[in-house]
Amino acid sequence: MRRHRPAVAVLAAAAAVVVAASNASAAPGVPAFLDPADLPARAGTDWHGGAVTSGVPDPLPFCVGEVLPGATSRHRAFWTDLDTSAVQVTVVERDASRAKTLAGLLNKAVKDCAGKVEQEDPGTRATWRDFGTVQVADGAHVQGVQTTRAETGSDAHLFSVGRDGRTVTVVHWGQMGTFKDAPVSGFRNTTRTAVNKLY
């Protein structure tokens, strides 16, 4: 049975594997990544960012991981000293049509995620919310999934999928808590920045 890893577990994995290396700048023509300061502010702590790395994250991001193409993905992990973590994955497809298809698959994976979690793990209750679109480049969409287990409490997850031409970027933010604790407005700003920074 596959189970998602809560935000605090992702935080620990990122901190153990990656030493902060702020090298999000990209060469001309190569998509750039978010900087730690672009993530929604977390009271009492700062964001840290790892190196931009080829391939998909390990473990795969909650909800969207199985859709991401490993060969053409690059990613960057982010974490705080508390219980909040994030990851950005960017994929450059052969053309805009393939990128549009991938963006659609990623958005569908998030929308279907709550139902899939409950089916695979009956002990988990999951809720999906649509937080709307962001007008940037070829468009972006923000969604959220909240999961609750009696033994471990609740985790809130925010996702955005954005596209600029043949390039797709997805950002996953996670934290212990509920939707009430999720910085939706700040994450929408992060989404806009992520897509604008691609090129």
Side-chain angles (χ1 to χ4, degrees), residues 89-148:
V89 184
T90 296
V91 181
V92 180
E93 287 284 17
R94 287 203 297 261
D95 53 49
S97 177
R98 290 176 66 90
K100 185 176 181 180
T101 297
L102 176 60
L105 290 172
L106 289 164
N107 278 315
K108 185 177 187 302
V110 178
K111 184 176 182 179
D112 295 344
C113 185
K116 185 177 180 181
V117 167
E118 290 189 345
Q119 183 178 25
E120 293 183 352
D121 184 0
T124 298
R125 291 290 168 262
T127 304
W128 167 82
R129 285 191 185 175
D130 188 340
F131 293 112
T133 59
V134 177
Q135 300 303 312
V136 58
D138 292 307
H141 189 192
V142 177
Q143 302 174 76
V145 176
Q146 177 183 309
T147 59
T148 303

Side-chain angles (χ1 to χ4, degrees), residues 145-187:
V145 176
Q146 177 183 309
T147 59
T148 303
R149 285 186 62 84
E151 303 90 338
T152 58
S154 296
D155 290 332
H157 303 266
L158 297 177
F159 300 85
S160 65
V161 178
R163 184 173 69 88
D164 187 346
R166 66 191 184 105
T167 301
V168 177
T169 193
V170 54
V171 182
H172 169 215
W173 172 99
Q175 178 180 296
M176 294 178 65
T178 67
F179 282 137
K180 291 193 301 182
D181 307 305
V184 175
S185 179
F187 189 74

Side-chain angles (χ1 to χ4, degrees), residues 29-104:
V30 177
F33 279 71
L34 291 166
D35 291 314
D38 297 323
L39 277 296
R42 177 73 164 96
T45 186
D46 294 324
W47 281 97
H48 311 285
V52 175
T53 305
S54 296
V56 293
D58 182 16
L60 290 172
F62 181 46
C63 292
V64 298
E66 295 180 358
V67 180
L68 293 166
T72 53
S73 295
R74 297 169 73 233
H75 69 275
R76 189 180 194 198
F78 303 89
W79 63 92
T80 69
D81 297 324
L82 299 177
D83 59 353
T84 310
S85 62
V87 64
Q88 179 185 9
V89 184
T90 296
V91 181
V92 180
E93 287 284 17
R94 287 203 297 261
D95 53 49
S97 177
R98 290 176 66 90
K100 185 176 181 180
T101 297
L102 176 60

